[in-house]
Amino acid sequence: MLIVAIEKTKRGVKRRSTPKANPLSRPNGSRFAEAAACLAEIGKGFHARGWVLGTSGNFSAVISREPLRLAITSTGLDKGSLAPAQFLEMDEAANVVHGDGRPSAEALLHIAIARGVDAGAVLHTHSVWSTVLSGSHASQGGIALQGYEMLKGLEGVRTHKHREWLPILENSQDMIELGERVSKTLRESPGIHGFLLREHGLYTWGAGLQEAKRHVEILEFLMEVLVRSGAAQSA
C-alpha cells in the first residue's frame, strides 16, 4: 500500500511514493497476526459445538516470553463470528499494547496460567457440562476422570488407566485474588491439564494452540459423558 508525498522541485510539483508502515513489521506483528487468525477459527468451532454461547469464553496465545505478550480476545464478542481484527495484544499486567477494545477481566487468569505452567495457549469455555459438574462437585474440590480411552489424548498421558484430577475453584469477581488461587492450584497440582471455576466453566492450556484445542475437546467430551451417563455421581 502506498501513500503519496508531494515534493516541490524547480520544474513544479513532483509526486513521490513512499511505502506505508506495515503493521506486521512491528515487534511480534507476524506472530500476533498468525495467532489471532488461528484463535478466531478455534472460537468459531467452539461456538458451533455450544461451548461458548452468547459472549462467553475467552482465548489467548503467547506471542512473546520476554517480555510476556499475549494475543487475546476482546471482551463482549460473539465467538461465532470472531475475526482476527478483534484480538488484542496484551502485556504481563493485562494492559493493551496493540488493538482496539479491552480484554475480559479474566485476562489475569490467562497471565497466571501462561506463567504458572509455561503455557503457549490458554482456552476458556462455558459449556453446559462444565457448568453442571463444577456446581455439583464443588464441595469435593474437583472431579476425577479415570478409565477413559480419550484420556490418552492429553499431553503426556499414555494409558486409559490414568487418573486426571480436574480441580474446581470457587468463582470470584476479584480477579487478582482469583489469579493468586489459580497460581497456587497450579503449583500444588503439577501435571493437571485444566481446572473448573464453580458454575462457570473450563480453563485448559497447551504448549501451543493445537494442543490446547485438543485438551478442550477431550475434557469437554469426558464431562459430557459423565453428565449424560450419570457417572458423575461416582466420579
Side-chain angles (χ1 to χ4, degrees):
M1 188 179 298
L2 300 178
I3 57 176
V4 177
I6 305 299
E7 180 181 291
K8 290 185 177 180
T9 68
K10 291 181 180 179
R11 295 184 177 180
V13 176
K14 178 182 178 182
R15 290 179 176 268
R16 177 169 52 87
S17 296
T18 57
K20 185 177 181 180
N22 184 344
L24 297 185
S25 66
R26 64 184 178 79
N28 304 324
S30 60
R31 291 190 295 274
F32 174 86
E34 181 180 356
C38 290
L39 287 166
E41 288 305 308
I42 286 172
K44 286 186 280 190
F46 286 179
H47 181 274
R49 298 184 184 194
W51 296 341
V52 285
L53 299 179
T55 61
S56 66
N58 39 68
F59 320 124
S60 71
V62 173
I63 57 175
S64 170
R65 287 285 177 192
E66 294 295 338
L68 184 63
R69 295 287 186 270
L70 286 79
I72 191 166
T73 40
S74 183
T75 191
L77 298 177
D78 176 357
K79 305 308 184 295
S81 57
L82 277 179
Q86 294 174 310
F87 283 81
L88 310 170
E89 183 176 337
M90 178 181 75
D91 68 15
E92 60 185 6
N95 297 313
V96 175
V97 297
H98 178 74
D100 297 320
R102 62 183 179 84
S104 163
E106 294 172 18
L108 291 174
L109 306 188
H110 288 248
I111 294 169
I113 296 168
R115 286 172 170 166
V117 293
D118 221 21
V122 180
L123 304 176
H124 172 42
T125 52
H126 278 237
S127 70
V128 171
W129 323 112
S130 62
T131 304
V132 170
L133 289 176
S134 62
S136 63
H137 286 68
S139 63
Q140 300 171 33
I143 189 163
L145 303 169
Q146 188 172 5
Y148 295 99
E149 187 71 14
M150 282 289 279
L151 287 166
K152 291 162 64 175
L154 298 175
E155 188 63 24
V157 176
R158 298 291 177 263
T159 173
H160 67 281
K161 295 180 180 180
H162 169 77
R163 182 180 185 273
E164 180 72 18
W165 179 246
L166 203 56
I168 299 173
L169 283 66
E170 283 292 330
N171 196 15
S172 173
Q173 297 303 302
D174 184 342
M175 289 300 150
I176 294 177
E177 183 274 335
L178 183 54
E180 291 172 351
R181 281 194 282 123
V182 167
S183 296
K184 183 173 185 286
T185 297
L186 296 176
R187 289 194 304 269
E188 294 178 347
S189 303
I192 62 172
H193 295 84
F195 62 83
L196 297 168
L197 295 183
R198 183 176 183 178
E199 296 179 339
H200 184 109
L202 170 72
Y203 272 89
T204 188
W205 51 83
L209 276 170
Q210 292 309 307
E211 184 176 299
K213 174 177 176 287
R214 188 175 79 240
H215 288 170
V216 169
E217 291 174 341
I218 290 164
L219 294 173
E220 288 287 1
F221 172 90
L222 292 173
M223 288 188 291
E224 183 174 351
V225 166
L226 290 182
V227 174
R228 287 185 179 275
S229 67
Q233 298 305 315
S234 58

